[in-house]
Amino acid sequence: AQRGGKAGGVYTWEEVQQHSSRTDQWLVIDRKVYNITQWAKRHPGGLRVIGHYAGEDATEAFAAFHPDPTFVQKFLKPLLIGELEASEPSQDRNKNVRLVFDFHALRAQAKSDGLFQARPLFFCLHLGHIVLLEALAWLMIWYWGTNWIVTLLCGVILATAQSQAGWLQHDFGHLSVFKESRWNHLVHKFIIGHLKGASANWWNHRHFQHHAKPNIFRKDPDVNMLSIFVLGATQPVEYGIKKIKLLPYHRQHQYFFLVGPPLLIPVFFHIQIIRTMIIRHDWVDLAWCVSYYFRYFFLYIPLYGLFGSIALLSFVRFLESHWFVWVTQMNHLPMDIDHEKHRDWLTMQLQATCNIEQSFFNDWFSGHLNFQIEHHLFPTMPRHNYHLVAPRVRALCETYGVPYQMKTMWQGFTDIVWSLKNSGDLWLDAYLHK
């Protein structure tokens, strides 16, 4: 085989796996070998998400993220350097070939059954109820005045609108509404920017990494807890053995209530979003973001003054942050969190993800992320179709003995705290005795 990677080369998996450093990245899609070293910087989903598959088979991830593979093909063509040797298997690292094939078939069947087609009315109504909530909150104060009870009620309604706008931007961010990606991107910028005051690019680059490698250290930013928490069964023991004690981790299930839900959106995300937009010179996102604050202060300063408006907004962010943290963590935090294991797409997603029971309230409250398993397997599928594909996914999991976890909402919430406590106990044991 040719070492330099000229077009028409023939390679083994072993050779591909050698190209997995930051400055030298190859990956495989449908047995074809691509050199993405230079392209990664220009990748619309961000440079990290594609880099996480360097030296690996990216076929399943490629299919999951790109609603229009033929469009993407023209970007791939110049990167092609050859293909796998005929004697090499189509999957790398001892993945179950039958499982990968059957999952591919399930996906193709779901596509031909129209499960990847969005119902415009669903998303219009969803946007409508957000706008209605925003209007209701302002009209109440305009009509009844700024007393404490009305202000609290207004805060709760605005937080509900913010949370629901969060679920809606998530739909457009995943390109699951319009057939054309650019329309999804445009509406995404409007919803996350003008309705929420955040940045679409910041969200994309962060969130796609999470989907590409969920619950995998150094690849999924959602489990990068900056040493405030230790997660899973491996990290606490590693920290304990190295005698790392930046915080009393055996108490993390208690201080979680002080630093997790209340501070994530108002403090951590806020700083991160502003920093990212400025560092990346992302002036388009910044303009959308500013338009949100302009609209908010234009409406609320006449009623509350500047200080009162800032206080109200902080209260709204505080409530929204609780909502966001509990809903997003119940599906992932109690699950397997570990280093890269090179599993196939289905197994990797199922080990990192669980579902919450379906009900009208649960669907609405969690933005259909109670079907987190289906969302992770098919990120571009519109969420109103998750319940239709779920029985098929469950059947496939049963066939191959892959655990498919379903919980009540309450169980999901309590499991967050229990998993933090268990990890903290593992840390303490390793810290004292290993």
Side-chain angles (χ1 to χ4, degrees), residues 110-267:
K111 207 164 193 113
S112 71
D113 291 348
L115 295 185
F116 283 85
Q117 282 171 2
R119 293 205 306 269
L121 183 65
F122 174 89
F123 295 102
C124 285
L125 289 172
H126 202 281
L127 178 60
H129 102 287
I130 293 164
V131 174
L132 213 64
L133 287 168
E134 291 255 342
L136 180 67
W138 185 84
L139 284 168
M140 275 174 22
I141 292 169
W142 177 77
Y143 187 76
W144 281 309
T146 55
N147 66 59
W148 275 106
I149 293 172
V150 181
T151 300
L152 282 174
L153 194 56
C154 168
V156 170
I157 292 173
L158 283 176
T160 304
Q162 282 298 302
S163 294
Q164 291 301 325
W167 308 142
L168 187 60
Q169 67 80 22
H170 179 253
D171 298 316
F172 288 96
H174 276 296
L175 314 176
S176 71
V177 184
F178 293 108
K179 276 199 171 66
E180 277 196 48
S181 289
R182 63 197 183 104
W183 282 106
N184 284 306
H185 287 307
L186 186 67
V187 179
H188 186 216
K189 282 197 187 301
F190 167 73
I191 293 172
I192 197 172
H194 185 68
L195 294 186
K196 287 192 64 59
S199 156
N201 285 344
W202 165 81
W203 182 88
N204 283 340
H205 291 182
R206 185 189 164 91
H207 192 69
F208 288 147
Q209 288 184 74
H210 160 69
H211 270 269
K213 296 285 184 180
N215 284 9
I216 293 172
F217 289 123
R218 290 204 284 281
K219 292 190 175 182
D220 177 1
D222 290 10
V223 294
N224 173 18
M225 295 289 176
L226 307 170
S227 302
I228 296 170
F229 300 102
V230 288
L231 305 177
T234 315
Q235 191 187 37
V237 177
E238 288 172 1
Y239 272 50
I241 290 169
K242 290 178 187 162
K243 307 296 176 216
I244 299 174
K245 188 189 180 178
L246 301 172
L247 284 160
Y249 296 123
H250 56 299
R251 298 245 179 273
Q252 64 177 6
H253 60 292
Q254 292 162 326
Y255 68 70
F256 167 76
F257 290 92
L258 298 174
V259 297
L263 300 184
L264 185 72
I265 288 179
V267 179

Side-chain angles (χ1 to χ4, degrees), residues 296-297 300-301 303-315:
Y296 172 81
F297 287 120
Y300 284 93
I301 285 177
L303 302 170
Y304 282 104
L306 179 63
F307 180 73
S309 303
I310 293 171
L312 175 64
L313 186 57
S314 305
F315 176 60

Side-chain angles (χ1 to χ4, degrees), residues 189 199 201-202 276-278 280-287:
K189 282 197 187 301
S199 156
N201 285 344
W202 165 81
T276 306
M277 289 190 294
I278 292 168
R280 291 211 181 118
H281 304 292
D282 202 343
W283 311 129
V284 174
D285 277 13
L286 190 63

